[in-house]
Amino acid sequence: MVCGQMESLVREGRVVELRRRLCSRMTFGTAGLRAEMGAGFACINDLTVIQSTQGMYKYLAKYVPDLKTRGLVVGFDTRAQTSSGCTKLLWNFCGIVFLFAFQPYAVMKYGAAAGVMITASHNRKEDNGYKVYWHNGAQISSPHDKEILRCIEESSEPWPESWNEDLVESSLLRRDPLEDVSRWYMEELNTICFHRELNAMSPLKFVHSSFHGVGHNYVQRAFQQFGFPPPIPVPEQKDPDPDFSTVRCPNPEEGESVLELSLRLAEREEARIVVATDPDADRLAVAEQNDNCGWKVFTGNELAALLGWWMLFNWKEAHPDPADTERVYMLATTVSSKILKAFARIEGFHFEETLPGFKWIGNRIHELKKTGKEVIFSFEESIGFLCGNMVLDKDGVSTAAVVAEMAAYLHTKNLSLKQQLINIYEIYGYHISRTCYVICNDPPTIHKIFSRLRNFGGPGVYPESCGDYCITHIRDVTTGYDSSQPDKKCVLPLSRNSQMVTFTFQNGIVATLRTSGTEPKIKCYTEFCAAPGERDISSLEEDLRKVTAALVEEFLEPDKNNLLRRSV
């Protein structure tokens, strides 16, 4: 198939497409290597998997002396069924344990040298990916990613045994610890389960969709570990299916349009809460039925407000001494809501921001744990959550059970999730956010858009306003510029491989434009952080709508640049 693709492109004279596929190589984004499955060095195929694995092995052999005994954890999700050679080829290099899910958890439990997950998560069915975890259980970040890429480039010629898939069957190093790891994981869920007896008595019913991915069995077991009956599965979506045949895209973040089967089933079963995990079960969407008013699908930022409150509430119940709060942390990516920052300001714990991508959060948790700190909640706005710190990556399985327990507890107080969200905003201030994106499949156009922003008012002069709104500060982590700092330098690390510019407006709105690390998108995040007690929400939402629209129209110029608009 791969050879046929190239022959066809040559025959048709598609020079631009040939150049795109052959003259560039995949790079590590916010979630590893990710690209369409097909021919070329810029795509996922058997050759690029071999090259990537050879490069990673070369790097590990240099820095991990006991690599052969520690081994490597290899996993895959639904997509690997369409490219099974990818996982088999990974066996041929070093001591390996094999796994279907729970990748970062297994790396930590076995003390493995590293881990590889063949997944493109919530991307379209044509894509696949190669996510790498370091031995601490977090996704790799700098300098490991750059050094592995360098080793990949030095290992482009497949080694003699690289194509030999039979080595998988004969290897004495092979084992499948899935059942052991699953059992350990479920037992450790006890650390974030606070009301098992109450859960067992709850009248609430829950529906779960695994979006044709790997989450079904594990969410069923997680609910039972928390004392609940298993959630009602969406039958059409519970089994792995690499074609994702019932959804236009396997991303539960897209909201009600992709949750249609889940919501209709919940209505028939009189279930009040729907939880949906993406294909590799690390993200979680949640919807709640309103009384006679349809469904409320929570954004990632809204869910984070609820989960952050819940984890803090239960932590304080177990630690009544206020002095204990000094060692408590919550983390969020910089494009996510500042609601946890508002919590920290009032409650006295620590809050930190990281660059986008859970790899930054995971590695920061690892560093904080080494100093005796306790991270009780972390999130990214794209429905990625981590309750506690038993793994160092976002985890949709455990979060689904935590959401169920929170809903069950609130039900005993005659509160819905939506009502509790309003209570949180009343105490800590309303945080109104909007997220939208444009699709751009042309990297030069993306570069042109951000170059224009950096030279908007002349060489090196950023915009001073957008629409009718004055900009007071600008932070550009791609170049390292931050106008709010005395030395004009970013506090966050540089991120030269992606584009990200943040604008702070005079009216308090914070907006960020950034390229996605996993898809051909430019995302726009805007948020209005109101002070506690401020309740004129309609005017806040109107200002936010106007700023968001102006950012997209004036700074991205969708019509001129042939961009496709989308909202979340």
Side-chain angles (χ1 to χ4, degrees):
M1 182 189 76
V2 171
C3 292
Q5 288 181 7
M6 282 301 175
E7 290 169 358
S8 176
L9 291 171
V10 170
R11 246 189 341 265
E12 296 167 9
R14 297 175 60 186
V15 177
V16 173
E17 179 65 8
L18 284 165
R19 184 178 293 118
R20 182 187 73 81
R21 291 181 180 225
L22 294 173
C23 297
S24 63
R25 184 176 290 280
M26 294 178 292
T27 59
F28 285 99
T30 54
L33 304 171
R34 194 173 292 184
E36 65 186 288
M37 292 182 279
F41 303 120
C43 300
I44 291 283
N45 52 64
D46 285 353
L47 175 61
T48 55
V49 167
I50 284 175
Q51 292 171 331
S52 299
T53 306
Q54 289 179 171
M56 188 177 71
Y57 176 75
K58 183 176 180 179
Y59 182 71
L60 290 173
K62 183 177 179 181
Y63 289 99
V64 184
D66 51 352
L67 171 61
K68 285 287 186 178
T69 55
R70 294 178 68 175
L72 184 74
V73 177
V74 179
F76 59 91
D77 70 2
T78 307
R79 297 168 191 268
Q81 296 177 17
T82 66
S83 185
S84 60
C86 290
T87 50
K88 287 188 176 181
L89 291 165
L90 285 164
W91 289 99
N92 297 350
F93 297 97
C94 53
I96 295 176
V97 294
F98 189 71
L99 200 57
F100 194 59
F102 302 129
Q103 201 68 14
Y105 184 76
V107 171
M108 287 194 299
K109 292 299 283 188
Y110 278 100
V116 174
M117 180 75 174
I118 300 295
T119 177
S121 189
H122 59 284
N123 278 41
R124 62 195 189 124
K125 66 181 181 181
E126 293 82 6
D127 294 347
N128 214 329
Y130 187 102
K131 187 184 292 188
V132 180
Y133 293 89
W134 197 236
H135 52 68
N136 63 3
Q139 292 180 52
I140 59 166
S141 58
S142 186
H144 302 306
D145 52 359
K146 294 180 178 60
E147 288 300 307
I148 290 174
L149 283 175
R150 184 178 60 79
C151 290
I152 291 171
E153 291 169 358
E154 295 172 354
S155 308
S156 57
E157 181 70 24
W159 300 338
E161 292 297 320
S162 294
W163 294 106
N164 184 1
E165 294 185 13
D166 292 336
L167 286 179
V168 177
E169 308 305 327
S170 60
S171 175
L172 298 176
L173 300 169
R174 169 184 174 172
R175 55 195 173 109
D176 182 355
L178 178 57
E179 192 50 47
D180 285 340
V181 172
S182 299
R183 185 179 69 256
W184 299 335
Y185 173 91
M186 295 302 164
E187 290 170 354
E188 202 163 339
L189 285 181
N190 293 336
T191 61
I192 53 173
C193 177
F194 307 107
H195 304 279
R196 183 173 286 99
E197 292 182 3
L198 183 151
N199 298 342
M201 297 184 293
S202 178
L204 290 183
K205 295 166 73 176
F206 302 89
V207 161
H208 169 241
S209 170
S210 56
F211 266 61
H212 300 292
V214 301
H216 169 71
N217 290 335
Y218 308 118
V219 171
Q220 295 272 306
R221 289 177 64 175
F223 268 64
Q224 290 172 299
Q225 189 70 26
F226 268 60
F228 291 105
I232 303 164
V234 179
E236 303 93 331
Q237 297 176 334
K238 77 179 182 66
D239 296 322
D241 172 10
D243 290 326
F244 307 113
S245 52
T246 66
V247 290
R248 60 180 176 81
C249 78
N251 185 0
E253 189 184 2
E254 295 289 328
E256 193 161 346
S257 63
V258 295
L259 294 172
E260 179 72 19
L261 287 174
S262 305
L263 303 182
R264 300 296 80 83
L265 176 63
E267 289 168 358
R268 292 195 300 272
E269 296 285 347
E270 298 183 341
R272 186 168 141 186
I273 306 289
V274 166
V275 293
T277 47
D278 69 343
D280 61 343
D282 63 352
R283 296 171 189 251
L284 182 77
V286 176
E288 180 181 58
Q289 191 166 28
N290 295 323
D291 294 334
N292 303 316
C293 299
W295 288 87
K296 162 68 176 173
V297 180
F298 294 92
T299 67
N301 287 330
E302 290 171 336
L303 268 180
L306 286 162
L307 289 165
W309 163 78
W310 177 247
M311 294 305 292
L312 181 64
F313 169 76
N314 286 288
W315 193 90
K316 288 167 68 176
E317 289 284 301
H319 301 82
D321 185 353
D324 288 341
T325 309
E326 178 61 30
R327 62 185 177 88
V328 172
Y329 279 71
M330 290 192 190
L331 307 179
T333 59
T334 188
V335 295
S336 302
S337 173
K338 313 302 177 191
I339 186 65
L340 300 186
K341 185 177 182 179
F343 286 5
R345 192 163 46 240
I346 291 175
E347 301 292 347
F349 64 86
H350 300 275
F351 169 72
E352 287 188 8
E353 285 187 332
T354 72
L355 287 174
F358 233 88
K359 64 182 182 182
W360 299 102
I361 287 178
N363 282 288
R364 183 57 182 151
I365 293 173
H366 178 69
E367 292 300 316
L368 288 168
K369 286 174 72 173
K370 288 194 298 186
T371 63
K373 309 302 182 184
E374 185 172 1
V375 181
I376 63 173
F377 180 65
S378 309
F379 88 104
E380 59 184 7
E381 53 74 39
S382 52
I383 60 172
F385 312 100
L386 175 59
C387 299
N389 51 53
M390 60 181 276
V391 296
L392 298 185
D393 203 358
K394 54 185 177 284
D395 184 359
V397 174
S398 61
T399 306
V402 170
V403 166
E405 180 173 71
M406 174 171 57
Y409 173 84
L410 290 171
H411 185 71
T412 66
K413 308 297 182 184
N414 296 315
L415 289 169
S416 66
L417 294 175
K418 182 179 177 181
Q419 288 168 331
Q420 179 58 21
L421 181 64
I422 293 171
N423 292 341
I424 290 167
Y425 287 154
E426 292 284 341
I427 297 169
Y428 300 101
Y430 278 84
H431 285 60
I432 312 298
S433 60
R434 295 176 70 98
T435 302
C436 62
Y437 64 87
V438 296
I439 296 174
C440 181
N441 290 296
D442 183 44
T445 297
I446 292 175
H447 178 79
K448 181 181 72 174
I449 288 169
F450 281 90
S451 178
R452 174 174 170 265
L453 285 178
R454 296 183 180 107
N455 301 281
F456 202 84
V461 180
Y462 290 82
E464 296 179 351
S465 63
C466 182
D468 298 328
Y469 300 91
C470 179
I471 296 170
T472 55
H473 296 299
I474 290 176
R475 182 185 64 196
D476 185 344
V477 299
T478 307
T479 65
Y481 172 75
D482 189 340
S483 67
S484 69
Q485 297 298 317
D487 61 0
K488 307 300 181 187
K489 293 182 179 179
C490 278
V491 175
L492 288 172
L494 278 175
S495 182
R496 296 193 187 279
N497 291 333
S498 62
Q499 304 282 353
M500 188 169 82
V501 182
T502 299
F503 307 90
T504 301
F505 289 84
Q506 193 170 41
N507 63 2
I509 290 176
V510 178
T512 296
L513 296 174
R514 67 172 281 260
T515 50
S516 169
T518 58
E519 298 167 283
K521 296 177 178 178
I522 302 175
K523 293 186 173 183
C524 176
Y525 311 84
T526 52
E527 183 175 41
F528 204 131
C529 306
E534 189 173 348
R535 292 184 174 84
D536 188 6
I537 306 306
S538 59
S539 66
L540 297 182
E541 291 179 326
E542 180 62 16
D543 279 348
L544 197 65
R545 185 192 65 77
K546 289 180 179 178
V547 168
T548 305
L551 277 166
V552 172
E553 295 302 322
E554 294 185 23
F555 290 173
L556 301 184
E557 301 180 302
D559 295 332
K560 179 181 176 180
N561 291 311
N562 296 314
L563 309 176
L564 297 176
R565 297 176 175 86
R566 295 286 188 273
S567 61
V568 177

